[in-house]
Amino acid sequence: MNFSDKELNELDAHIQGIQNIIKAKTFALSSEQRIHYSDIADRNKQIVDQVITYMGKHPKWVPNFIDKEEFDRDYLVGKHIEARITLLQELTQQLIDTKTLLDHDNYNNTLSFYRMVRYYATKNEPGAHTVYQDIKKLFGNVIMDENMMVAD
């Protein structure tokens, strides 16, 4: 699996396009604000959906201080955003999963190289001991057994 430079450039251009579209229309909340304005749970979404229906059937019951047009617009925009969030989360998870698999392969190949360098260091291969000691430092208190990494 590989992404060509053209594909990476296209991905970056599309991501930049998304950023350009949403930057003036979205908010970035602080951590404290995220707690204060926490996302409504699914059950509460059902309540909002039901109230939207009733407001449409009984407009005279809507309090004067509620701007019904703004309420409807916010509701619709929220639905549109939610659909895009779901899609973006799925794409993000695919990228995370792919990176996890790639990192796993790279780490296992790194361990194989480390084992080979350790072997060459025991055979006094020129330069192998220095490379072995340098890599060994990166493992900290973790040592190699015959087949895997184990805690020291």
Side-chain angles (χ1 to χ4, degrees), residues 70-121:
E70 182 181 350
F71 182 79
D72 290 344
R73 188 174 48 251
D74 289 351
Y75 179 79
L76 185 59
V77 170
K79 288 286 190 190
H80 291 160
I81 289 173
E82 185 175 31
R84 273 76 183 172
I85 288 171
T86 299
L87 177 59
L88 290 170
Q89 285 174 329
E90 290 171 1
L91 293 172
T92 300
Q93 192 59 56
Q94 284 179 295
L95 290 172
I96 289 169
D97 291 348
T98 300
K99 177 138 180 10
T100 297
L101 291 173
L102 294 170
D103 287 349
H104 178 78
D105 287 351
N106 286 338
Y107 188 71
N108 281 313
N109 288 333
T110 298
L111 294 177
S112 294
F113 178 82
Y114 178 73
R115 287 183 195 108
M116 187 58 73
V117 169
R118 181 180 63 187
Y119 168 78
Y120 282 124

Side-chain angles (χ1 to χ4, degrees), residues 2-147:
N2 190 20
F3 289 105
S4 68
D5 287 342
K6 180 182 177 208
E7 290 169 326
L8 291 172
N9 289 333
E10 286 178 24
L11 281 171
D12 291 343
H14 290 296
I15 291 168
Q16 182 63 50
I18 292 169
Q19 288 174 323
N20 290 340
I21 290 169
I22 69 171
K23 70 181 170 188
K25 299 179 185 257
T26 58
F27 302 95
L29 300 176
S30 68
S31 299
E32 295 80 23
Q33 289 171 316
R34 284 189 189 103
I35 292 168
H36 178 73
Y37 294 111
S38 63
D39 191 23
I40 62 173
D42 286 337
R43 181 163 190 251
N44 291 339
K45 286 179 185 178
Q46 291 174 349
I47 295 169
V48 172
D49 291 343
Q50 190 65 38
V51 167
I52 283 279
T53 301
Y54 283 128
M55 283 180 159
K57 289 180 182 178
H58 307 284
K60 68 179 184 178
W61 296 350
V62 177
N64 294 349
F65 58 85
I66 293 179
D67 182 339
K68 178 70 166 74
E69 287 181 20
E70 182 181 350
F71 182 79
D72 290 344
R73 188 174 48 251
D74 289 351
Y75 179 79
L76 185 59
V77 170
K79 288 286 190 190
H80 291 160
I81 289 173
E82 185 175 31
R84 273 76 183 172
I85 288 171
T86 299
L87 177 59
L88 290 170
Q89 285 174 329
E90 290 171 1
L91 293 172
T92 300
Q93 192 59 56
Q94 284 179 295
L95 290 172
I96 289 169
D97 291 348
T98 300
K99 177 138 180 10
T100 297
L101 291 173
L102 294 170
D103 287 349
H104 178 78
D105 287 351
N106 286 338
Y107 188 71
N108 281 313
N109 288 333
T110 298
L111 294 177
S112 294
F113 178 82
Y114 178 73
R115 287 183 195 108
M116 187 58 73
V117 169
R118 181 180 63 187
Y119 168 78
Y120 282 124
T122 65
K123 300 298 181 193
N124 294 320
E125 179 74 23
H129 186 72
T130 302
V131 172
Y132 169 68
Q133 290 300 320
D134 189 45
I135 296 172
K136 184 178 177 182
K137 285 184 228 172
L138 297 174
F139 285 115
N141 290 335
V142 177
I143 58 168
M144 297 290 296
D145 74 2
E146 293 294 317
N147 299 308

